Amino acid sequence: MAGPAPLRDCQAWKDAGLPLSTTSNEACRLFDATLTQYVKWTNDKTLGGIEGCLSKLKAADPTFAMGHAISNGLVLIGTGSSVRLDRELDQAVKDMVATSQSQPLTQRERLHVSAVETFAKGNFPKACELWEQILRDHPTDMLALKFSHDAYFYLGYQEQMRDSVARVYPFWTPDIPLSSYVKGIYSFGLMETNFYDQAEKLAKEALSVNPADAWSVHTIAHIHEMKAEVKDGLDFMQRSETHWKDSDMLACHNYWHWALYLIEKGDYEAALAIYDDHILPSLRASGAMLDVVDSCSMLYRLQMEGVSVGERWQDVLPVTRKHSRDHVLLFNDAHFLMASLGARDTRTTQELLTTLQDVSESPGENCQHLLARDVGLPLCQALVEAENGNPDRVVELLLPIRYRVTQIGGSNAQRDVFNQLLIHAALKCTSGAHRHVARSLLMERDALKPHSPLTERLLRKAAAVHLLQ
């Protein structure tokens, strides 16, 4: 395995066909260091971590437009704050725009600034169009590739997530820094669109170049999950753990995948041990949205399986409560709601629902707020009805929107929590009108993911209440 490439200075960026409008070599190198850590999902202590690099970057050249773009873009793509509620972030985006207008920039840099500003307004599709414009002319612009990939993920645009990388993949020759990571990024889009063999091949190629590529590990974890290959998945996670456990921005999520296999096979104690040893500590240390949704999703899945999670919701609530008015992503909102319901905090539950209703009534160009009325609010209401013991109402709310839930973003594996919610509700229905909903859903699930122990448990449950005749 080759050592890390030297961080690129002004001339190196120019030679790569991606010139940066700054005379500071230090600023260029720090931009590269930040980008590298973002791509690797790792705060590299030898580089000072992402935060450390960004603060040094600002000091090296306070007017460096691409420094502002990567700094603001990373905060926004983290989905933990919004310009609507965070004045500091709002001001930072305005300063970025003003700075960019006061100097001669390349067209590529102008598009970057514009894309970040557009994403800040919640118009993710338009931001993606701008990043795609960059990629057509500059296919090796990693920041445009990665920001668009993440935004497509939040939109549930699975084909775009795949095809965006397919269009630039041939340009990423092995001599270009971070090129092996493009294999992992591409493999994830392939996996989400069910090209499992192709996805696995690319992810393994990436891992042969760099075994510490946590995102490629993550693709393979997904493939085993989607195919119900529980033993293979557990073996793979165990074998590769030493390589990815220090990728601090993704390790928690990879442990979550590990725990999903354990829930699938009904080994709830082992799943809770992973939660207690890895997922909760990561959530407490980072407060990152990915760690938040992992925590909520895992506890909710265990509860649906009939497992007592004790007081664990109380540990999650202080983190989620701070975000109940954010409404950056509907996917996040649904998970925050799981926490306030699980912790029996009716005030926070009400605050989230009321403020979500408010933003849905004046959405502007915000794609999430535009989707709230038809998808976000019924999904959240279904979670409330499930908590209140109204399974028929859950089915009435979820069944009509089940094929639209993809639009709230996340992966197929992450959104499966809502499929499971619908099935569990259907199993408890008392209305004759819903009598065969559980049977239909279980037949479909079994066809798409055969030999799943979890599906087999649900089928046994259905048989016990005579729903399979």
Side-chain angles (χ1 to χ4, degrees), residues 222-250:
H222 267 269
I223 293 167
H224 290 310
E225 165 67 23
M226 299 316 292
K227 293 163 82 173
E229 295 170 344
V230 177
K231 186 183 182 310
D232 292 348
L234 286 168
D235 289 349
F236 173 71
M237 296 313 271
Q238 222 152 4
R239 242 185 5 257
S240 60
E241 182 185 12
T242 51
H243 295 300
W244 53 259
K245 66 181 171 62
D246 295 326
S247 291
D248 59 301
M249 291 187 267
L250 198 63

Side-chain angles (χ1 to χ4, degrees), residues 183-289:
K183 291 177 187 289
I185 297 168
Y186 189 14
S187 76
F188 185 72
L190 285 162
M191 180 278 304
E192 279 295 283
T193 51
N194 310 325
F195 288 92
Y196 297 137
D197 294 348
Q198 226 175 315
E200 188 168 5
K201 180 176 176 286
L202 269 178
K204 284 181 171 169
E205 279 176 24
L207 289 168
S208 73
V209 178
N210 185 354
D213 180 348
W215 190 246
S216 291
V217 165
H218 169 249
T219 294
I220 294 174
H222 267 269
I223 293 167
H224 290 310
E225 165 67 23
M226 299 316 292
K227 293 163 82 173
E229 295 170 344
V230 177
K231 186 183 182 310
D232 292 348
L234 286 168
D235 289 349
F236 173 71
M237 296 313 271
Q238 222 152 4
R239 242 185 5 257
S240 60
E241 182 185 12
T242 51
H243 295 300
W244 53 259
K245 66 181 171 62
D246 295 326
S247 291
D248 59 301
M249 291 187 267
L250 198 63
C252 172
H253 188 60
N254 280 347
Y255 279 116
W256 177 80
H257 275 280
W258 190 330
L260 284 197
Y261 299 130
L262 295 167
I263 294 173
E264 177 79 49
K265 69 182 273 205
D267 193 346
Y268 306 127
E269 286 304 311
L272 280 170
I274 284 190
Y275 179 86
D276 293 337
D277 295 346
H278 298 290
I279 295 174
L280 180 61
S282 189
L283 168 70
R284 283 180 166 151
S286 76
M289 287 301 103

Side-chain angles (χ1 to χ4, degrees), residues 155-156 331 371 375 379 397-398 400-410 415-416 418-419:
L155 286 162
F331 180 84
L371 192 61
V375 180
L379 179 62
L397 287 159
L398 281 188
I401 63 164
R402 62 185 291 248
Y403 284 103
R404 292 195 65 188
V405 173
T406 310
Q407 296 172 277
I408 71 165
R415 284 189 311 276
D416 190 47
F418 305 117
N419 297 329

Side-chain angles (χ1 to χ4, degrees), residues 3 9 15 25 33 50 97 104 107 122 129 164 190 207 219-220 235 268 277 291 391 398 426:
D9 60 12
D15 294 344
N25 281 319
I50 288 180
V97 174
Q107 173 65 1
E129 283 172 28
S164 172
L190 285 162
L207 289 168
T219 294
I220 294 174
D235 289 349
Y268 306 127
D277 295 346
D291 297 357
L398 281 188

Side-chain angles (χ1 to χ4, degrees), residues 4 33 36-37 40 42-50 53 248-249:
T36 299
Q37 292 170 92
K40 293 183 176 181
T42 305
N43 277 291
D44 185 334
K45 293 182 182 70
T46 65
L47 295 171
I50 288 180
C53 285
D248 59 301
M249 291 187 267

Side-chain angles (χ1 to χ4, degrees), residues 325 351-363 377:
R325 308 172 71 94
E351 179 182 49
L352 189 149
L353 294 171
T354 307
T355 55
L356 182 56
Q357 179 73 45
D358 293 345
V359 298
S360 77
E361 286 166 10
S362 51
L377 284 161

